Amino acid sequence: MNGVLEMVGRLRVLPEECAWMPEAAPAEVTVALDGADGCIADARAQTSKFLTRVQGEYGLPVSARAMDLGQLVVSELVTNALKYAPGPVLLQLRIADAMLEIEVWDTDPTLPLARAADAGRVGQHGLEIVMAVVQGIEVRREPVGKRITARLALFDDPQQDVSF
């Protein structure tokens, strides 16, 4: 894995309102990205690996759409962080309430702004793309840098009844 170091992998007990989900699910995986060639592809691969593990080891449903969109969101957020912020980037993937939470931290405190739609603009559509495909997004300043958290449903209909 060029430029990626898996740092943390823990279990977390989910709240009772998620009774349809197994008692314990992988809470998070944190990946440090150093900007080396291939690290964006490695971040996408880590996302796929994490979601595949969620499916296989814990039996949580992950739609093909969620797998693809998870990798897309990671790619867009990590690309922007590496492009605009000096220093390292942290990617954290977490399962919470039938959602994949994708969290990207970087060293630049400047909060991103989605630009007005412009079909003639080349590039700089990443945040617009992310906002169009996720169920929620939060951007906040940290004591050092900023953190962007995007939430993506694990399966196509987040209201569907899943029985185990």
Side-chain angles (χ1 to χ4, degrees), residues 9-10 27 29 32 34 39 67 69 71 76 82 99 102 114 136-137 149 152 157 160:
R10 306 184 276 196
V29 170
D34 61 7
C39 78
M67 184 73 75
L69 290 178
Q71 292 176 72
E76 293 295 338
L82 291 170
M99 297 282 197
I102 300 165
I137 189 166
T149 305
L152 182 67
D157 179 6
Q160 79 184 22

Side-chain angles (χ1 to χ4, degrees), residues 129-144:
I129 292 168
V130 169
M131 291 171 65
V133 301
V134 299
Q135 281 66 47
I137 189 166
E138 176 184 354
V139 180
R140 67 180 184 272
R141 279 194 183 89
E142 294 285 318
V144 175

Side-chain angles (χ1 to χ4, degrees), residues 58-101:
Y58 301 96
L60 294 176
V62 177
S63 70
R65 182 176 186 273
M67 184 73 75
D68 291 343
L69 290 178
Q71 292 176 72
L72 173 67
V73 170
V74 163
S75 184
E76 293 295 338
L77 294 179
V78 168
T79 296
N80 286 345
L82 291 170
K83 183 175 181 179
Y84 297 110
V89 170
L90 292 178
L91 167 65
Q92 189 170 48
L93 304 170
R94 175 174 45 249
I95 302 297
D97 301 328
M99 297 282 197
L100 168 63
E101 289 188 354

Side-chain angles (χ1 to χ4, degrees), residues 26-37:
E28 62 189 38
V29 170
T30 300
V31 181
L33 303 165
D34 61 7
D37 287 345

